[in-house]
Amino acid sequence: MTEYAELLVGAGLPAGYAAIHADSDRGIARGELLVTSGDLSRLIGRPTTSLREAVRAATAVNRG
């Protein structure tokens, strides 16, 4: 078990879930979930929004 998974277990996550979560985070860090095909834009019929833009818009709405 990785140090991160052990930290998650220490925070109360079950060991199996912690291991899966830690492995997913490792994959994200390596870029394994990066998709540049444009499929989502075609599916929703508009350009996609970056996470940064989505968070900025959400926090602007909540500020009034």
Side-chain angles (χ1 to χ4, degrees), residues 11-46:
L13 271 66
Y17 180 74
I20 291 169
H21 187 71
D23 186 56
S24 295
D25 280 0
R26 240 187 333 275
I28 291 168
R30 289 188 300 246
E32 293 174 0
L33 297 180
L34 180 63
V35 177
T36 59
S37 65
D39 289 346
L40 181 58
S41 293
R42 284 189 294 281
L43 180 66
I44 63 176
R46 62 174 177 78

Side-chain angles (χ1 to χ4, degrees), residues 1 5-22:
M1 186 177 300
E6 290 173 3
L7 179 87
L8 293 173
V9 169
L13 271 66
Y17 180 74
I20 291 169
H21 187 71

